Amino acid sequence: GVATKEHDIVVIGGGPGGYVAAIKAAQEGYNVACIEKRGALGGTCLNVGCIPSKSLLNNTHLYHTIKHDTVKRGIEVGEVNINIAKLQTAKDTVVKQLTSGIESLFKKNGVTYYKGTASFVDANNVSFAPTDGSEETILKAKDIIIATGSEPTPFPGIQIDEERIVSSTGALALKEIPKKMAIIGGGIIGLEMASVWSRIGTEVTIIEFQNAIGAGMDGEVAKTTQKLLTKQGLKFMLGTKVTKGVREGETVKIEVESVKDGKKSELDADVLLVAIGRRPYTEGLGAEKVGLDIDNRGRLVIDSEFRTKVPHIRVIGDVTFGAMLAHKAEEEGIAAVEYIKNGHGHINYANIPSVMYSHPEVAWVGQTEEQLKEAGIKYKTGKFPFIANSRAKANQDTDGFVKFIAEAETNRVLGVHIIGPNAGEMIAEAGLALEYGASTEDVARTCHAHPTLAEAFKEAALMTHGKAINF
Ligand code: FAD
């Protein structure tokens, strides 16, 4: 018969949710195994998501700055060129370093790493089919954590070939700079890819069904973002529906129509990126064999302790409810293990930051003005522009603002929305304020170093209830 190995906990999927859960479980003294089929740990995030996109974003930003933004800084450079092969190698190198880094962490913490595909046999047994084709094993476990993640949502009728018609995975790996790129979807992934390629010469058009970009951003921030990205050369077609996208040789023909009046038009591109969102991934998992519930959006259904209806099978990350973000998956990985060990764990879903790594960056946490209006909650805002911040001025990088939203009566921080240089780092301070239940007075009375961008954060907090000093 098939060989059986026993573990206390088996984790299915080695992405940010799964690998963090596995390490945490090992640290808590469990005999834990993690099964991952892609051949590398780190999941979507490290292999084809967060990390490769940030490598390309950072390096194309540097290129763009050196090429277009040095003269007024008193720096004279010669000819500046992009070497796309090396740009991609730099990206691949960091991905390799980080994914193999997790393998070392597994060794250090004593997590058993199984390279292959997991599939349920029954509620306590998972079959493991090794990637190298060697014999199948049954892994028996007391507790099982599913962290199988997500995949790009396909666009009905549009065939992805990852060459001319690409998902984010193909868009991260292009070997040539396209002359023209069209992107379906003005969400974070679409806009980050738009930034990468447009900075190195691609003419990018973003086609978005909604009348605003940046799904979920505060309305005022989304408008400012669109304005700044337009200034950088991105073209937006909002309120526009794609009806067709087909490859014809080396070009892609796209047909669109206006959502409002049905007016049709056509465009073509060298590359069409489909970036309309991601959907939970459970293919081949055999969830049905143990009777796990899957909702109409493909998500594995769980209770507040991450339990499926088979209580010792828990689910975390993109494959279940909530924001599809790496840090959300990681928090859930920790909390799920805490539930197994102690019967309680903690995540504050009202305090999960979002960041778009364009330039300037956009970052937010807590509630938007739109959400508060809808909930009928009275609030005040304080908004400080980076143009009035000394560090931003010195850096010649002054686009954007910090906006605080505070409860009208108490000044309690309800949300912070930033568009500006380093917004993604600065939002951590907002998260701390929210977590500690701070008021904007608490933030405004905290000494911030001068000259830093974070002073804009402090002054925006002050402006919800007092007057800014520098604006
Ligand atoms: P995943 O990372 O998807 O990992 C699941 C893993 O499970 C996969 O490696 C898969 O191979 C494996 N698996 C699935 N089924 C099986 C099976 N049956 N057997 C064995 N293994 C299996 N998030 C951020 O927070 N910040 C960002 O900047 C950011 N940028 C992104 C950019 C892009 C282009 C994309 C696509 C995503 C980005 N994300 C970002 C989202 C982030 O990648 C995900 O939220 C995160 O990876 C989810 O983690 P996870 O562990 O739930 O799933």
Side-chain angles (χ1 to χ4, degrees):
V2 183
T4 301
K5 288 184 181 148
E6 282 190 39
H7 294 279
D8 298 326
I9 301 176
V10 163
V11 180
I12 304 175
Y19 94 74
V20 167
I23 290 175
K24 174 71 178 170
Q27 289 172 347
E28 294 296 341
Y30 292 102
N31 172 350
V32 52
C34 180
I35 313 172
E36 169 57 59
K37 68 176 181 178
R38 89 168 54 230
L41 293 166
T44 304
C45 179
L46 276 78
N47 291 283
V48 291
C50 330
I51 298 302
S53 60
K54 266 80 262 180
S55 169
L56 294 180
L57 279 158
N58 188 57
N59 289 336
T60 55
H61 175 61
L62 263 176
Y63 167 80
H64 194 264
T65 304
I66 295 166
K67 185 144 180 127
H68 300 289
D69 196 25
T70 53
V71 176
K72 66 178 185 198
R73 299 171 187 276
I75 304 166
E76 289 168 10
V77 293
E79 204 184 318
V80 184
N81 297 307
I82 196 92
N83 181 326
I84 186 82
K86 284 195 178 149
L87 186 83
Q88 292 292 15
T89 306
K91 178 203 75 180
D92 294 340
T93 305
V94 70
V95 166
K96 184 94 196 62
Q97 284 167 345
L98 290 172
T99 56
S100 55
I102 301 174
E103 223 172 306
S104 310
L105 290 173
F106 270 13
K107 285 202 188 98
K108 182 175 144 191
N109 287 282
V111 176
T112 309
Y113 173 23
Y114 291 105
K115 286 189 197 176
T117 304
S119 181
F120 278 101
V121 176
D122 58 42
N124 287 95
N125 291 286
V126 172
S127 94
F128 157 64
T131 317
D132 65 12
S134 60
E135 220 160 296
E136 185 184 314
T137 315
I138 300 292
L139 306 180
K140 190 178 170 64
K142 293 188 204 75
D143 286 279
I144 295 168
I145 298 175
I146 301 173
T148 49
S150 61
E151 62 178 354
T153 306
F155 193 104
I158 297 184
Q159 196 64 44
I160 304 271
D161 61 17
E162 295 299 13
E163 220 177 82
R164 293 281 162 194
I165 302 184
V166 298
S167 71
S168 55
T169 302
L172 288 166
L174 298 177
K175 291 189 185 74
E176 281 168 30
I177 303 170
K179 277 204 194 67
K180 281 200 269 180
M181 179 184 262
I183 300 178
I184 312 179
I188 296 187
I189 293 177
L191 295 176
E192 288 188 355
M193 289 300 96
S195 292
V196 163
W197 295 104
S198 88
R199 287 167 184 169
I200 55 178
T202 304
E203 191 186 299
V204 180
T205 304
I206 290 134
I207 309 162
E208 167 60 55
F209 185 85
Q210 303 289 333
N211 284 312
I213 59 161
M217 272 179 204
D218 182 85
E220 185 182 17
V221 174
K223 280 206 192 91
T224 307
T225 304
Q226 193 189 334
K227 221 186 289 166
L228 291 173
L229 293 179
T230 302
K231 228 167 68 183
Q232 293 172 16
L234 302 191
K235 292 204 182 82
F236 290 95
M237 297 173 80
L238 301 188
T240 305
K241 193 164 90 180
V242 172
T243 52
K244 200 172 173 187
V246 285
R247 179 174 177 169
E248 285 178 13
E250 296 307 300
T251 51
V252 184
K253 302 271 184 209
I254 302 142
E255 291 178 14
V256 299
E257 85 185 32
S258 157
V259 174
K260 208 168 93 202
D261 56 19
K263 202 169 155 256
K264 292 183 176 25
S265 53
E266 288 178 18
L267 62 155
D268 57 40
D270 308 296
V271 173
L272 171 65
L273 163 59
V274 178
I276 57 169
R278 295 182 60 81
R279 64 176 188 190
Y281 180 81
T282 50
E283 214 179 289
L285 179 66
E288 66 289 346
K289 281 201 196 135
V290 272
L292 306 185
D293 287 333
I294 292 184
D295 76 359
N296 60 356
R297 289 169 60 185
R299 299 175 295 198
L300 283 166
V301 175
I302 51 169
D303 66 11
S304 62
E305 300 181 14
F306 310 105
R307 290 177 302 203
T308 62
K309 68 184 195 205
V310 183
H312 67 267
I313 301 177
R314 288 179 155 85
V315 188
I316 58 171
D318 281 12
V319 72
T320 186
F321 310 119
M324 285 187 169
L325 291 168
H327 42 280
K328 176 265 192 187
E330 292 178 16
E331 294 295 313
E332 291 184 337
I334 301 287
V337 171
E338 286 173 340
Y339 273 116
I340 292 171
K341 173 134 195 198
N342 311 313
H344 54 83
H346 167 81
I347 292 192
N348 181 359
Y349 286 103
N351 189 6
I352 310 270
S354 294
V355 181
M356 179 166 92
Y357 299 82
S358 48
H359 191 89
E361 291 179 351
V362 182
W364 67 99
V365 66
Q367 289 172 282
T368 61
E369 285 200 58
E370 289 76 17
Q371 287 169 335
L372 290 167
K373 272 184 200 138
E374 206 182 303
I377 296 168
K378 288 208 172 64
Y379 65 88
K380 304 185 282 192
T381 61
K383 195 172 116 185
F384 189 90
F386 282 103
I387 189 87
N389 172 270
S390 57
R391 185 65 182 281
K393 281 291 247 190
N395 291 350
Q396 297 176 261
D397 195 1
T398 53
D399 283 334
F401 55 80
V402 179
K403 174 161 97 175
F404 264 82
I405 307 179
E407 192 178 41
E409 205 177 320
T410 62
N411 288 333
R412 186 188 172 112
V413 178
L414 297 177
V416 179
H417 304 272
I418 309 173
I419 172 165
N422 266 318
E425 299 293 337
M426 201 182 292
I427 205 66
E429 186 176 358
L432 210 53
L434 270 177
E435 199 63 41
Y436 286 4
S439 71
T440 47
E441 283 151 312
D442 295 323
V443 176
R445 286 182 183 282
T446 303
C447 184
H448 285 64
H450 176 76
T452 58
L453 298 167
E455 287 173 290
F457 187 88
K458 171 185 161 148
E459 292 221 61
L462 175 62
M463 287 167 80
T464 64
H465 56 275
K467 285 195 176 113
I469 299 295
N470 293 292
F471 180 62

